[in-house]
């Protein structure tokens, strides 16, 4: 069994009562309204150069919002998805870091390393809006910084001139 199959299998075993084919009682109790489908967020990959700017939660949150219509919840098992061989300690560190990242858009721990986002709650939408605002502010700061740098390279004669 490869890591992909193992992750999805673990999520299934955590949220489903395999014997009955129904939602597991702990999963049902964790949701405001446990009626609907389940979206599994298996892999989110971002090139290393783009990490650390808040883009991951913004993009994943937007994808979740778009894809989770009629879903009761979204489930994931945070862990490294970039294909590197990791030690157990490194895997644990990556999982903890990603769990924190996904909590910023509303995922909460359920059991056995599986995290869920309750699609019926307003909180994930509010958290995504906050992450989007933060990212827009970062983009604005970057634009201002590059405009200032551009003005310094061109010299004072061009600053404020019309094209």
């Amino acid at each position: 069994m490869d890591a992909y199959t193992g992750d999805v299998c673990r999520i299934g075993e955590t949220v489903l009562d395999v014997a009955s084919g129904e939602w597991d009682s702990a999963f049902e109790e964790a949701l405001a309204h446990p009626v609907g489908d389940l979206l599994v967020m298996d892999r989110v990959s971002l090139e290393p150069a783009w990490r650390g700017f808040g883009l991951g939660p913004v993009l994943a949150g937007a994808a979740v919002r778009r894809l989770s219509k009629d879903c009761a919840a979204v489930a994931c098992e945070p862990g490294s998805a970039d294909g590197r061989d990791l030690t157990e300690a490194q895997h644990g560190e990556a999982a903890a870091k990603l769990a924190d990242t996904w909590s910023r858009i509303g995922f909460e721990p359920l059991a056995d390393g599986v995290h869920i986002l309750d699609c019926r709650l307003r909180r994930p939408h509010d958290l995504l809006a906050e992450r989007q605002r933060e990212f827009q502010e970062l983009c604005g700061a970057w634009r201002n910084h590059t405009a200032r740098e551009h003005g310094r390279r061109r010299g004072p004669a061009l600053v404020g001139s019309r094209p």
Side-chain angles (χ1 to χ4, degrees):
M1 181 184 315
D2 63 13
Y4 171 79
T5 306
D7 291 349
V8 174
C9 184
R10 193 170 14 266
I11 290 169
E13 290 171 344
T14 302
V15 301
L16 293 173
D17 178 337
V18 179
S20 71
E22 300 292 326
W23 296 131
D24 180 78
S25 60
F27 176 68
E28 280 190 331
E29 290 170 13
L31 299 176
H33 187 66
V35 175
D37 296 325
L38 176 70
L39 175 65
V40 174
M41 185 173 80
D42 185 54
R43 296 279 188 270
V44 175
S45 183
L46 198 58
E47 289 293 321
W50 290 99
R51 296 177 187 166
F53 299 105
L55 190 55
V58 170
L59 295 175
V64 162
R65 183 188 295 178
R66 169 95 25 153
L67 298 172
S68 64
K69 185 177 185 258
D70 299 327
C71 288
V74 182
C76 71
E77 183 179 10
S80 179
D82 59 11
R84 293 177 294 150
D85 287 328
L86 301 175
T87 66
E88 193 65 35
Q90 290 170 323
H91 177 73
E93 185 179 313
K97 192 173 184 179
L98 286 169
D100 182 60
T101 297
W102 299 143
S103 74
R104 298 184 72 222
I105 57 172
F107 280 91
E108 297 180 358
L110 176 66
D112 300 323
V114 174
H115 290 64
I116 60 170
L117 181 146
D118 190 334
C119 295
R120 305 288 193 239
L121 298 179
R122 180 77 205 151
R123 183 173 178 267
H125 297 282
D126 293 343
L127 289 172
L128 177 57
E130 285 178 36
R131 303 297 77 81
Q132 289 169 329
R133 275 192 300 278
E134 290 169 358
F135 187 69
Q136 287 171 347
E137 289 171 8
L138 180 63
C139 290
W142 176 250
R143 272 192 304 277
N144 291 338
H145 170 76
T146 57
R148 283 192 306 274
E149 288 297 312
H150 181 71
R152 283 189 199 132
R153 279 184 260 133
R154 298 268 178 156
L158 295 176
V159 175
S161 63
R162 293 185 180 162

